[in-house]
Amino acid sequence: MTARPPRNPQRRDQLLDAGLAVLAEQGARGLTFRAVDARAGLATGTATNYFADRDTLLAELGERIHTRLEPDESELAAARGGDPTPTVMRRLLERVLARREVYVALLELRLEATRRPALRESLTATVRARFEADVAFHEEAGAPGGRQAVALLHHAMEGLILDQLTLPGALGDPDDAGAVAEQLAAAVLSREP
C-alpha cells in the first residue's frame, strides 16, 4: 500500500469523511471510489487522485476514524487531576454517540479487517498506538490500575458502545448509559490487580 502525496489536505479529509459515511451506511462492499466521490459531491475520479487503491483508502479510513473520535485538548485538560477515568469514560460515550456514523464505520472496518490481512495489520497498529496513548494518559493522571485497567476499560466500553449503537435499551434505559460508563470505570478501577 502506497499513499499518494496529499494534493489538498482539506479535500483529502473531505473524501475520508465521505468514505466514513459510505462505510457506515453501505458497509465495506458499498465502499467504492465512485461512491466516495458521489458522497463528497466531487467529480468521479477525484478519490483515485488521493488514494492509490482501495486498501490504502481503507487503511486511511482507520486513521481518520480514530482522529475523529479523539477528545480535544480542553476535554483532556478538564479530566486531569484526581482520578479522571469515570469522567473520561462518560465523555467518550457521549462523543461516540454524537458521532454514531464514525463508530459504525469503525465496526464495519473491523469486520472487513477479518477478511483482509493488510487492513488487519494497519488497523491493529492504529488501535495499539491509541491504546498506548491512553495508557500514558492514565498513568500521567495517576489513575489506579495501570495498563491492565486501561485494557479492561477498553473492552468494557466497546461492549457498552456496541449496545448503545445497535440495541439501545436492550439492557437498560439508554438515557442511563453515561452513568453506566462511570460505573464500569469505577468497578474496573476498584478491582485493580
Side-chain angles (χ1 to χ4, degrees), residues 1-189:
M1 285 189 288
T2 58
R4 294 184 179 176
R7 298 170 189 249
N8 175 334
Q10 292 80 19
R11 173 73 42 88
R12 179 182 218 80
D13 287 348
Q14 179 183 4
L15 288 163
L16 288 170
D17 289 340
L20 293 178
V22 170
L23 194 56
E25 292 169 5
Q26 299 177 33
R29 290 180 190 248
L31 183 72
T32 64
F33 285 139
R34 184 179 299 268
V36 171
D37 290 336
R39 179 62 185 229
L42 299 171
T44 300
T46 303
T48 60
N49 292 321
Y50 286 82
F51 309 102
D53 53 36
R54 191 166 184 271
D55 287 334
T56 302
L57 173 60
L58 287 166
E60 290 195 35
L61 285 171
E63 281 290 328
R64 182 69 175 164
I65 288 166
H66 288 89
T67 300
R68 295 269 316 271
L69 292 175
E70 282 182 354
D72 63 32
E73 189 51 43
S74 65
E75 188 176 333
L76 291 175
R80 287 186 175 93
D83 178 12
T85 309
T87 301
V88 169
M89 295 299 99
R90 178 186 279 272
R91 297 269 164 75
L92 168 65
L93 180 66
E94 291 168 353
R95 197 168 49 256
V96 166
L97 294 179
R99 301 173 188 154
R100 287 178 181 281
E101 136 183 313
V102 176
Y103 205 88
V104 170
L106 175 59
L107 295 173
E108 290 286 348
L109 200 60
R110 289 179 100 168
L111 290 171
E112 185 65 11
T114 66
R115 296 177 284 278
R116 293 176 171 268
L119 177 58
R120 183 180 316 121
E121 185 178 320
S122 70
L123 196 55
T124 297
T126 298
V127 169
R128 207 172 268 145
R130 301 297 185 203
F131 173 72
E132 293 301 334
D134 290 347
V135 170
F137 177 81
H138 190 82
E139 290 173 349
E140 174 190 313
R147 174 178 294 281
Q148 182 64 23
V150 175
L152 291 172
L153 287 168
H154 270 259
H155 294 305
M157 286 301 295
E158 287 177 10
L160 176 61
I161 290 167
L162 181 64
D163 286 349
Q164 291 304 303
L165 289 176
T166 60
L167 302 170
L171 299 179
D173 185 347
D175 293 334
D176 294 339
V180 171
E182 290 181 352
Q183 291 167 0
L184 281 171
V188 166
L189 297 177

